Amino acid sequence: MRQVAVCGPRECTQQEAAWARAVGGLLARAGVTVLCGGGTGVMAAVAAGTAEADGLVIGVRPDTDRGAVCPGLSAVLFTNMGEARNAILVESADAVIVIGGSWGTLSEVALARRRGGIPVVSLGGWEIRDAKGRPVAATVVAADPADAVRRALDGIARAEPT
């Protein structure tokens, strides 16, 4: 079973929501379990796209507020851990796709890079620079939703033992 976390801001643009919805549908059609934060914005859009394609999508919530859960989720994990749930989300994934950017999304990129060994793909997300202003290759940049999914799944395939 392959699991891909899709991360992004709770307040996102229409473009980011459209990308997330498309990514969710593409992952579902590829037979991948989608993990997300289970809230608004990118999280709600990826859940909707996954559900529309009859896929499995699990929300990993930072709280225990059942009223804050977005529609479309197949299951919800209520962690009551605040932003620390980002570590659970990233550790449970075989790849991470980030769409857009917020501080929470940046923390998920950092956690995934710190973990290592998994692809981290960015669609319209953060550009990270070192102390001297040079770009750091923290993510693989995707051109569109199909490219993001392809890069994530290709990265998983390369990481799997043969």
Side-chain angles (χ1 to χ4, degrees), residues 9-22 41-42 45 99 145:
R10 73 182 71 125
E11 295 176 14
C12 68
T13 67
Q14 289 181 346
Q15 179 66 74
E16 291 164 345
W19 284 340
R21 190 177 212 110
V42 164
I99 299 172

Side-chain angles (χ1 to χ4, degrees), residues 95-128:
V96 175
I97 297 174
V98 295
I99 299 172
S102 65
W103 292 115
T105 307
L106 181 59
S107 77
E108 289 157 333
V109 169
L111 289 165
R113 295 302 302 164
R114 177 76 173 181
R115 173 184 165 192
I118 63 170
V120 183
V121 180
S122 177
L123 183 57
W126 287 93
E127 179 182 310
I128 301 170

Side-chain angles (χ1 to χ4, degrees), residues 130-149:
D130 68 13
K132 294 184 179 184
R134 296 178 299 231
V136 174
T139 63
V140 174
V141 176
D144 56 43
D147 187 40
V149 169

Side-chain angles (χ1 to χ4, degrees), residues 23-147:
V23 164
L26 291 164
L27 289 169
R29 286 188 284 284
V32 174
T33 298
V34 176
L35 308 174
C36 72
T40 60
V42 164
M43 299 170 279
V46 76
T50 305
E52 288 166 1
D54 295 322
L56 179 63
V57 58
I58 299 170
V60 181
R61 294 291 303 149
D63 52 28
T64 58
D65 183 357
R66 280 152 169 75
V69 173
C70 66
L73 296 173
S74 307
V76 182
L77 300 175
F78 294 100
T79 68
N80 204 29
M81 295 178 66
E83 296 300 322
R85 67 84 191 261
N86 293 353
I88 294 168
L89 187 62
V90 167
E91 286 293 331
S92 299
D94 299 308
V96 175
I97 297 174
V98 295
I99 299 172
S102 65
W103 292 115
T105 307
L106 181 59
S107 77
E108 289 157 333
V109 169
L111 289 165
R113 295 302 302 164
R114 177 76 173 181
R115 173 184 165 192
I118 63 170
V120 183
V121 180
S122 177
L123 183 57
W126 287 93
E127 179 182 310
I128 301 170
R129 296 183 174 271
D130 68 13
K132 294 184 179 184
R134 296 178 299 231
V136 174
T139 63
V140 174
V141 176
D144 56 43
D147 187 40

